């Protein structure tokens, strides 16, 4: 006779408990994976933001142009411009308007020539007519450094400044914009590049030379033909000697302004100059 033996009841109960536990874990895991709307979600990462680093160095987080009105429907926002625009435009929006006008008939084509822009900025805007020579133009992509100077009366020329320009606007044929100078013999370190202008304005820097007589002027705003502040006859001299002056202002805000310092009188009215940009 053959006998069959059934497993004890306690083993059957344990097996049932294990099955229920496994099912419970599976349900919980499925609930964690599948969103409540029944579709599998996709993780999103917020876009990273970058800012341009530190004259004429780029300004951090600066956008040149006219800000839009919240909720309004308008043209696309002006492209980012990381420098303080000085001349001939005061914003990206203004530069783009020139691009739209220029394309059909070539209106004011000198905007596309870094040397001509620098020469007009120096002679017409700053009022340094004797600085009439373009000595060197160094174009590197969307940036340019133009050396301007004058005949020194000894059969050669002297560099008065190296003007820094950057293309401004959008798309092809972006015009050149003066954004500052690369300073050596004469520097302008105060006020800070791209800072807010206050009145009176304190300007300062260093100069190398003998018996220098500095002139500081502030130009810009709605009427750039006349300085909104000017002090001349500032004595200075030495090697990298500091200079400083306080300038009373009568600006009409808002606007962008050019602070310019010049020295001369030995062989020419203006022998060296430097500029920086502020706003109010």
């Amino acid at each position: 006779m053959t006998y069959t033996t059934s497993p004890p009841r306690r083993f059957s109960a344990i097996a049932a408990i294990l099955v229920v536990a496994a099912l419970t874990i599976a349900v919980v895991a499925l609930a964690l994976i599948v969103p409540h709307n029944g579709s599998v979600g996709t993780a999103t990462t917020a876009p990273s933001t970058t800012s341009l680093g530190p004259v004429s160095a780029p300004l951090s987080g600066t956008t040149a142009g006219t800000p839009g009105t919240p909720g309004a429907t308008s043209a696309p926002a002006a492209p980012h411009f990381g420098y303080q625009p000085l001349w001939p435009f005061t914003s990206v929006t203004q530069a783009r308007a020139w691009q739209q006008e220029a394309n059909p008939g070539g209106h004011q084509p000198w905007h596309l020539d870094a040397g001509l822009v620098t020469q007009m900025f120096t002679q017409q805007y700053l009022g340094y007519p004797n600085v009439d020579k373009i000595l060197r133009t160094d174009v590197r992509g969307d940036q340019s450094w133009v050396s301007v100077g004058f005949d020194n009366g000894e059969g050669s020329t002297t560099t008065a400044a190296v003007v820094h320009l950057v293309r401004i606007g959008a798309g092809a044929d972006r015009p050149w914009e003066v954004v500052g100078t690369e300073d050596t013999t004469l520097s302008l370190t105060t006020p800070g590049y791209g800072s807010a202008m206050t009145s009176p304005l304190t300007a300062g820097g260093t100069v190398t030379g003998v018996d220098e007589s500095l002139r500081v002027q502030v130009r810009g705003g709605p009427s750039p033909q006349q300085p909104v502040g000017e002090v001349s006859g500032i004595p200075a001299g030495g090697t990298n000697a500091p200079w400083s002056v306080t300038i009373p202002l009568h600006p009409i805000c808002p606007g962008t302004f050019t602070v310019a310092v010049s020295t001369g009188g030995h062989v020419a009215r203006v022998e060296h100059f430097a500029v920086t940009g502020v706003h109010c």
Side-chain angles (χ1 to χ4, degrees):
M1 181 177 293
T2 303
Y3 296 92
T4 59
T5 304
S6 300
R9 292 181 180 274
R10 64 177 177 275
F11 294 123
S12 299
I14 291 173
I17 291 171
L18 292 174
V19 171
V20 172
L23 290 174
T24 302
I25 292 172
V27 171
V28 172
L30 185 62
L32 292 174
I33 295 173
V34 181
H36 293 294
N37 62 6
S39 62
V40 177
T42 302
T44 59
T45 303
S48 61
T49 58
T50 59
S51 61
L52 295 172
V55 184
S56 19
L59 301 174
S60 177
T62 300
T63 301
T66 304
T69 303
T73 301
S74 59
H80 177 81
F81 187 69
Y83 294 83
Q84 178 74 51
L86 301 184
W87 195 85
F89 305 107
T90 60
S91 67
V92 176
T93 300
Q94 194 178 83
R96 292 180 71 188
W98 173 82
Q99 285 183 282
Q100 294 173 355
E101 295 173 0
N103 285 338
H107 177 61
Q108 296 180 324
W110 57 267
H111 286 92
L112 301 176
D113 187 313
L116 289 178
V117 171
T118 302
Q119 193 170 47
M120 295 179 73
F121 170 75
T122 302
Q123 295 187 287
Q124 298 182 18
Y125 183 68
L126 296 182
Y128 304 154
N130 74 279
V131 184
D132 57 358
K133 306 293 182 185
I134 300 174
L135 304 179
R136 184 172 184 265
T137 300
D138 180 10
V139 179
R140 307 176 207 167
D142 289 339
Q143 301 190 57
S144 180
W145 288 263
V146 179
S147 300
V148 290
F150 58 94
D151 289 325
N152 57 24
E154 298 178 355
S156 59
T157 56
T158 296
T159 299
V162 179
V163 180
H164 185 193
L165 302 93
V166 177
R167 290 194 184 276
I168 188 172
D173 295 331
R174 284 171 294 160
W176 289 105
E177 177 78 6
V178 175
V179 297
T181 52
E182 297 296 318
D183 304 335
T184 54
T185 302
L186 176 62
S187 73
L188 180 57
T189 55
T190 302
Y193 183 69
S195 62
M197 184 169 66
T198 60
S199 181
L201 179 72
T202 298
T206 61
V207 62
T208 296
V210 180
D211 295 329
E212 302 299 325
S213 180
L214 307 183
R215 173 191 176 204
V216 180
Q217 58 177 323
V218 182
R219 291 182 177 271
S223 301
Q225 295 79 11
Q226 294 295 327
V228 298
E230 182 175 358
V231 175
S232 59
I234 307 163
T239 302
N240 290 326
W243 65 269
S244 180
V245 66
T246 300
I247 312 163
L249 301 177
H250 48 89
I252 302 175
C253 292
T256 60
F257 295 83
T258 300
V259 184
V261 58
S262 63
T263 185
H266 300 96
V267 296
R269 177 171 172 262
V270 174
E271 296 167 357
H272 298 285
F273 71 87
V275 304
T276 191
V278 294
H279 67 274
C280 75

